[in-house]
Amino acid sequence: MNNFLTDHLIHRDDAFMLIHKPAGLLTVPGKTPDLQDCLINRLLELEPRTLLIHRLDRDTSGLLVFALNKDAQKNISRQFQERQTDKTYQALVAGRLEGEGTVDIPVVYDPTRPPLHQVDPNEKKPALTHWKVQQHEQIDGHDVTRVILTPITGRSHQLRVHMQYLGHPIVGDTLYATTEQQQLMPRLCLHAQQLSFYHPITGQRLQYLCEVPF
């Protein structure tokens, strides 16, 4: 078996594969020739039936599910659309954040600064994120906070923009953190650590975990 699949496959059956996407790898190809190396293209070389269901930002690591037939793709995609799935992320954010809370403000694409997004209270589509502090840490003398993030909606860059909006950007975020906050870690410290959904054939509720690499 190809080393990539050996290293990153978490589960596989007749309906779907669950993959640990590494940070720095696109989920789907970009628009230019230099952005064709991506997770789905690597998987298609090994399993031609691979079908996309959802995606993660290039710099985010963690759990992604890919269907292996059209019925499974339709079923699991519907679960995402109808919010029957549960997803949690772990992140390191800059500064000392306390307690838990909810960010409820829309996030939209900023055409003046691609690929950035920004909060826009006038946007009609909601963006909702629950957050909860796990523990406080330090990196090179700088306070950081380990948090659990639960996105209720799935807007592009939602978690990254919402943490910036709180005044605690994600450590290593080259788009939304300060230069100092970016340099605390060599990667974006955002990881999709837990995913649960119903099996598209049996209907059994499944839950998968992926160890946090930072």
Side-chain angles (χ1 to χ4, degrees), residues 112-123:
T112 67
R113 299 183 301 158
L116 271 66
H117 289 63
Q118 61 184 357
V119 298
D120 182 356
N122 297 315
E123 168 64 28

Side-chain angles (χ1 to χ4, degrees), residues 134-147:
Q134 260 205 324
Q135 64 185 44
H136 298 106
E137 303 176 17
Q138 283 207 336
I139 301 176
D140 296 333
H142 295 270
D143 287 331
V144 298
T145 304
R146 191 171 293 271
V147 294

Side-chain angles (χ1 to χ4, degrees), residues 122-168:
N122 297 315
E123 168 64 28
K124 292 182 179 179
K125 290 183 179 179
L128 186 65
T129 302
H130 296 323
W131 58 269
K132 184 175 183 179
V133 169
Q134 260 205 324
Q135 64 185 44
H136 298 106
E137 303 176 17
Q138 283 207 336
I139 301 176
D140 296 333
H142 295 270
D143 287 331
V144 298
T145 304
R146 191 171 293 271
V147 294
I148 300 298
L149 303 176
T150 305
I152 306 304
T153 54
R155 311 298 174 215
S156 293
H157 290 198
Q158 175 179 316
L159 299 179
R160 299 165 72 174
V161 173
H162 276 175
M163 291 301 99
Q164 181 197 42
Y165 177 76
L166 281 182
H168 297 273

